[in-house]
Amino acid sequence: MDNRDGIVAIGLLTEQDLSLLGSGFRRAFRVDDTPCFDDLLAAIDQAEERADRVRAETQN
């Protein structure tokens, strides 16, 4: 099965990161300009909080 068009990564990048990637990287969506990312960012924050709680519980 050929998955060349499938998603391989999602990341949060700075302007400097994008500059380092160069002009060949064309699919960047600005978070601050796109309100549809609000739910995604909230879900990431919640997942990080849950992961922190689980790590804290397993260390005790």
Side-chain angles (χ1 to χ4, degrees):
M1 180 197 287
D2 185 15
N3 287 326
R4 292 179 190 213
D5 291 334
I7 295 173
V8 296
I10 295 174
L12 299 175
L13 306 172
T14 65
E15 287 292 333
Q16 183 177 6
D17 294 332
L18 287 175
S19 177
L20 290 172
L21 288 170
S23 62
F25 188 82
R26 295 181 296 270
R27 288 195 153 186
F29 302 94
R30 301 203 180 281
V31 174
D32 58 341
D33 294 341
T34 310
C36 65
F37 283 108
D38 291 342
D39 290 340
L40 174 61
L41 294 174
I44 291 170
D45 289 341
Q46 289 174 356
E48 288 178 337
E49 290 172 7
R50 280 193 300 265
D52 289 343
R53 281 196 304 270
V54 168
R55 278 192 290 271
E57 291 171 2
T58 58
Q59 291 177 356
N60 292 331

